[in-house]
Amino acid sequence: MYNFQEAIFVTSSGNYKKCPPADKPEIAFIGRSNVGKSSLINMLVARKGLAKTSGKPGKTQLINHFLINKSLYLVDLPGYGWAQASKTLRIGWNATVNQYLLHRENLACLFVLIDIRLPPQKIDLLFINWLSTQDIPFAILLTKADKISKQQITIQLKNFKQTLALYAISPREYFVTSSNNQLGKLEVLEFIEQILSANN
Ligand code: GTP
Ligand code: MG
């Protein structure tokens, strides 16, 4: 089992060109503001305050690189779909993140986080659809599963799978997660291990 023994914050970049050298595989976390990207990174590395979290959407504004065991980068990206963000900020987000996604050659997999409680949202579907046209490998992580019952989890997961199938979109994998009760942690770590061995 992959174990995150060492996790260090490396740098925050406003531009993909300023990111650390692309010499290790990297996994990035993306999704709407407040969906739980930073919290999920902290859960995986078992370090509460490593990635900054907040109850207020729009906390993460830059591309944040964390180096794991000197051999893997985890990347915390700014959230999309933050209604209160100024128009300039939203356009800036698109440019920064789009450029990162299109040009970062060591991006091994993108984790797309979606709040499990909501029906599939247009902004997520548009984004995922764009991803599949760009051949960017991605997995879907349904977050905050501690907020609904087991029965609702099954229904929501089925719903997402059906909706994406309708658009002929096939993620590498689906995960149900909770940063509050560690649901999905082992499965996600195993998946990361698989990605790393495929990249070696
Ligand atoms: P931005 O950086 O603003 O895009 O947000 P983010 O996606 O990084 O979200 P963040 O991890 O900061 O979490 C947002 C809020 O959701 C915080 O109040 C977290 O405590 C809460 N939260 C995150 N994950 C979970 C979860 O699994 N369960 C519950 N109940 N709350 C969560
Ligand atoms: Mg964040």
Side-chain angles (χ1 to χ4, degrees), residues 9 15-16 37-38 45 77 86 91 96 100-101 105 110 127 133-134 165 170 178:
F9 169 72
N15 182 317
Y16 81 94
K37 299 174 290 295
S38 304
V45 302
L77 293 170
S86 70
I91 292 166
T96 306
Y100 166 83
L101 293 174
E105 68 257 36
L110 181 68
F127 178 70
T133 64
Q134 300 301 323
S170 20
S178 162

Side-chain angles (χ1 to χ4, degrees), residues 31-37 56-60 78-83 144:
R32 297 173 78 198
S33 279
N34 220 38
V35 71
K37 299 174 290 295
K56 249 177 35 191
K59 177 68 186 170
T60 311
Y80 55 77
W82 173 34
K144 306 196 183 183

Side-chain angles (χ1 to χ4, degrees), residues 10 14 19 22 24 27 37 39 42 48-49 70 73 81 87-88 94-95 113 120 134 141 147-148 155 167 190:
V10 182
C19 289
K24 296 165 189 67
I27 294 174
K37 299 174 290 295
S39 303
N42 290 339
K48 264 202 171 116
K70 299 187 175 67
Y73 284 120
K87 201 171 173 195
T88 330
N94 282 331
L113 277 63
Q134 300 301 323
L141 284 76
K147 296 218 179 195
I148 60 175
I155 294 170
Y167 292 89
E190 255 166 39

